[in-house]
Amino acid sequence: MTLKIRIDDGAPPYEQVRAQISEQARSGALPVGYRLPTVRGLAETLGLAANTVAKAYRALEADGVIETRGRNGTLIAAAGEAAERELASAAQDFAARARRLGSGEEEALAAVRDALRAAYGA
């Protein structure tokens, strides 16, 4: 696992850790079952506070990317189908809310495109 924290990046360090681990898990660079370093170990390696790494791990666990098994460590979760279901659910929630707000389909799609460009830096 390779992580690089850029201080000059606008994103907070915990978000950089979260995003990089998430991307590596999705791409398969970190396979299902891969054991992540301890919070303290990763914090020392990256020169971050343990609370920063713990916050990233909590966010990753909430996203279903990792799972913590107590003394057995923190592992990359088998989240493929779960992630797809969560994405579909989020899309349905957005569509329902856009409709309640009176937005048309094109206006809602434009809002999604803008949000995706902002999130992915495109």
Side-chain angles (χ1 to χ4, degrees):
M1 176 174 78
T2 303
L3 301 178
K4 295 180 183 167
I5 304 303
R6 292 177 176 83
I7 302 303
D8 59 341
D9 190 326
Y14 87 90
E15 177 59 25
Q16 292 180 51
V17 171
R18 188 211 57 77
Q20 290 177 46
I21 291 174
S22 183
E23 176 56 34
Q24 290 180 35
R26 277 192 242 293
S27 72
L30 295 177
V32 171
Y34 177 87
R35 190 173 186 174
L36 294 172
T38 64
V39 167
R40 187 169 292 155
L42 185 56
E44 288 176 11
T45 299
L46 296 175
L48 297 172
N51 285 341
T52 300
V53 174
K55 185 175 183 179
Y57 276 21
R58 283 191 303 274
L60 287 162
E61 192 161 24
D63 291 345
V65 175
I66 65 173
E67 57 186 59
T68 301
R69 295 185 182 167
R71 291 182 165 251
N72 292 323
T74 302
L75 311 171
I76 298 296
E81 291 180 22
E84 288 176 19
R85 284 193 303 272
E86 187 173 341
L87 182 61
S89 176
Q92 289 170 350
D93 291 346
F94 172 79
R97 186 165 184 189
R99 186 175 180 141
R100 279 194 310 273
L101 292 170
S103 298
E105 185 177 335
E106 288 304 314
E107 187 178 7
L109 284 171
V112 169
R113 284 188 200 98
D114 289 343
L116 288 171
R117 275 193 285 276
Y120 289 95

